[in-house]
Amino acid sequence: MKNQNIVTTAILLATLNPAFAAEIEFSGIANTELSSSIDGGDSDALTISVLPEWVVRFDNGWKLNSTLRLRADVLDHLYPNAISRDAVSNVSKSALLSDHTEIEMREFFLEGEFKNSYLTIGKQQIVWGQSDGLKVLDIVNPQSFNEFILDNYESSRIPLWALNVEQTWGDWDMQFIWIPDKTYHSLPKQGAPFAFSSHEIVPVAPSGVNVQLNDADRPNRFLADSDAGLKASTFIGGWDISFNYLYQYNNLAVLYQDISLLPSGPLVTVSQEYERTHVIGGTFSNAFGDVVVRGELGYFTDHYFISESIAERGISDSPEFNYVLGLDWTGITDVFISGQLFQSWITDYNSSIVRDEVDTTLTFLYRQDFMYETLEAEVLVIANLNNGDGLIRPKISYEWTNELKTWLGFDVFYGDDDGLYGQFSDNNRLVVGMEISF
């Protein structure tokens, strides 16, 4: 953390020195969104966000990008009290101005050419993969699940302090990333509207058994606990392809369970620990007329699944293979149709694991523009075939001017309470929003 503070101070001093700065640009976005439960749940929220952005361009071609986010929840159901902050490092954590308001340095990075490389240094988002709705390789940055997966990717990703080096070797574009920031998925607190309850994600204690949840044992060694990755991408025979490798801590803490017998009765102690994994994968895509074929693969050497076996401390470790196959079609003017098949395979499966060996999810997206692309209507459907649950998201938005946009939509969950989506079947809601650019 001390080293990161030194780097931040150096960048700030360079920015404030007019001898180095050639041009300063300012812009921003302000948005407000009201979500109201349509079935008596407690997912009501009125959130207000302001994101000012500064871009400082230097005479040597480098530039500094800085984005703040001031966010408040007037109804105090989603931000910021409902989300745990324990998994976020001190250098990435937002500052709480009150129980309803927080301010956060979303991005703060310096970028430019150095010899034959393009460097991005600082707090940033690094996007891998190209799937919609669900993620396979877009796992470099952890995610805030305060609204499950309802928030858009750019807003829900947690930016990290990192070094991103890009270089071209012949026909290949190479990318190396080093991430010393020990920040992981940020999860809703117990009792929050989108707190996880599915048996596939959190263990369930038998009736009459006391539970003690220990604080997460978060890695803290500056070098040894850093994440690092490499991506190589190229264009071959009409195909855009990439090969990806990431050495990281799983962004979700493993919930180990230990049982002890006390005079007051049995006690289950849940220890939260972060475990390492190697991620090996790649992407591919090609256009055939109006159809785009794309795919994404990811093999995780170590993933940890909730188990019914006490001997295994309630956890089974296995490699996991994930992939997505997608088809996009634009054969009708102003219409975009997309379908995807997601599958996850636990390669060393055993019968004690709560989840199925192969988990299958389908997605369907229909989007159409009207009135010279000022009015947009879409519907996204996510359906899990194993549990028979899913999510339906119709939405309509209108762009009044280049600076003003409004939208109306619904988030409808369905299915059994044990499913990934069905666990939120009481959180169906109507969403109304407005965005102003400045």
Side-chain angles (χ1 to χ4, degrees), residues 179-225:
I179 306 173
D181 192 340
K182 284 75 176 176
T183 293
Y184 309 103
H185 284 333
S186 189
L187 304 181
K189 297 177 182 178
Q190 291 182 347
F194 289 98
F196 293 148
S197 61
S198 170
H199 297 177
E200 296 183 3
I201 303 175
V202 294
V204 178
S207 177
V209 176
N210 295 318
V211 177
Q212 175 182 306
L213 179 64
N214 291 341
D215 293 336
D217 183 13
R218 193 158 54 83
N220 57 16
R221 297 173 298 178
F222 181 72
L223 288 177
D225 289 330

Side-chain angles (χ1 to χ4, degrees), residues 122-140:
K123 193 177 186 184
Q124 57 190 286
Q125 297 188 34
I126 299 172
V127 181
W128 283 3
Q130 50 192 347
S131 59
D132 297 323
L134 300 173
K135 298 181 179 182
V136 174
L137 288 180
D138 189 10
I139 55 170
V140 178

